[in-house]
Amino acid sequence: MNYPEQPEIKPKWLVGGRIRRHGIYWLPNAITTASLFAGFYAIVQAMNNRFGLAAIAIFVAMVLDGLDGRVARLTRTQSAFGAEYDSLSDMVSFGAAPGLVIYEWALKGMGKLGWVAAFVYCACAALRLARFNTNLGVVDKRFFQGLPSAGFVWTMQAFDVDPEEVKWGAWALAMFAGLTMVSNVKFYSGKDINLRKSVPFSVIVLMAMGVVALFLVVDNLPELLFTLMVIYAASGYVYWIVTQLQKRKKARAGPPDAPE
């Protein structure tokens, strides 16, 4: 008996032709490889008790991760391979690497509690990536769901803080960051910024002043980056609270009056 041919079912993130199914492009994937290397380098340095270098490597990976997708979109070299490769790289650089770095730095002496917190962070990073990939055609691209990976080891190293003194803070931070990554709290991703769009001259001047300001505080760079991470982490909850208040206000106001 001849059965009718079944239509091919494509993953949601391949529908619409926005991401090409074939082809491996060297430029965006080279940047992704550099991000992956930075994450691997962070793990190696953490194993050698060089936690400052490990933390710096994670921040470098974060910068490179923000570039590969934008480069692919600007050069029209998006591909299914690149999307999958980027996700696997993110798992190493922002899942395994931060979890292992904070474990080796402060949680190792806590026994089971220590590795449980590190595993929760790592597992939540994997779950976040899986959810993002499966919802690629559904979610609002302007926002991340859940908190992207971040750490504070570099700052503690800059202040010569004894890991034993802040181990419970490190444990709480690992659990908080991990569980927030799988929450429904939204964090602005910046993916809606159009890099091809022209901007006023004043914006370029402000960018130049920002670069100068960065060099002026370069001695306090770890503290600055950690402060920015804390502000970013708080922004998602502030946005969630504002959204909830707006929903309650609309619910109290009731539906709009129908025109006569």
Side-chain angles (χ1 to χ4, degrees):
M1 179 180 295
N2 294 327
Y3 293 95
E5 184 178 353
Q6 297 295 323
E8 181 184 2
I9 300 177
K10 299 178 181 179
K12 290 182 179 179
W13 58 277
L14 289 180
V15 175
R18 298 184 65 182
I19 299 180
R20 302 174 187 177
R21 292 184 297 169
H22 303 290
I24 298 175
Y25 301 97
W26 72 269
L27 183 57
N29 289 303
I31 299 174
T32 302
T33 301
S35 176
L36 175 61
F37 173 78
F40 176 78
Y41 181 82
I43 294 173
V44 172
Q45 295 308 311
M47 293 170 63
N48 292 322
N49 295 324
R50 298 175 178 174
F51 300 107
L53 288 176
I56 292 172
I58 292 174
F59 279 107
V60 170
M62 181 180 66
V63 173
L64 293 172
D65 180 64
L67 288 176
D68 57 2
R70 295 187 182 277
V71 168
R73 287 188 291 271
L74 286 173
T75 57
R76 301 186 185 278
T77 53
Q78 296 166 282
S79 67
F81 175 86
E84 293 294 336
Y85 187 32
D86 181 64
S87 290
L88 293 172
S89 173
D90 287 352
M91 182 58 216
V92 174
S93 299
F94 309 119
L100 289 172
V101 168
I102 200 167
Y103 173 78
E104 289 287 334
W105 182 67
L107 305 180
K108 194 172 183 179
M110 298 180 68
K112 291 182 179 180
L113 283 176
W115 63 255
V116 164
F119 174 74
V120 166
Y121 182 93
C122 188
C124 289
L127 291 170
R128 174 188 173 273
L129 287 168
R131 181 173 66 177
F132 178 79
N133 289 342
T134 54
N135 292 339
L136 196 59
V138 180
V139 296
D140 189 344
K141 300 293 182 62
R142 297 174 301 164
F143 298 96
F144 291 116
Q145 272 188 303
L147 178 66
S149 309
F152 81 137
V153 176
W154 192 10
T155 304
M156 299 297 103
Q157 287 283 298
F159 283 106
D160 294 324
V161 175
D162 185 0
E164 189 66 23
E165 296 178 359
V166 294
K167 64 181 181 181
W168 284 109
W171 185 89
L173 180 64
M175 293 291 291
F176 167 78
L179 295 176
T180 304
M181 279 192 285
V182 293
S183 70
N184 289 323
V185 179
K186 295 181 178 181
F187 296 84
Y188 182 65
S189 67
K191 290 187 177 182
D192 60 333
I193 298 176
N194 186 1
L195 297 180
R196 296 180 179 179
K197 184 180 179 180
S198 61
V199 294
F201 180 75
S202 58
V203 175
I204 306 300
V205 175
L206 290 174
M207 290 174 61
M209 293 176 63
V211 172
V212 172
L214 182 62
F215 276 99
L216 290 176
V217 299
V218 69
D219 293 335
N220 304 104
L221 190 57
E223 299 95 301
L224 174 64
L225 291 175
F226 180 66
T227 301
L228 292 176
M229 286 293 178
V230 171
I231 294 173
Y232 184 71
S235 68
Y237 289 94
V238 171
Y239 178 81
W240 181 82
I241 292 172
V242 171
T243 303
Q244 295 301 314
L245 291 175
Q246 290 177 344
K247 288 181 179 179
R248 290 185 180 181
K249 185 177 180 180
K250 289 181 180 179
R252 290 175 181 174
D257 296 333
E260 296 181 359

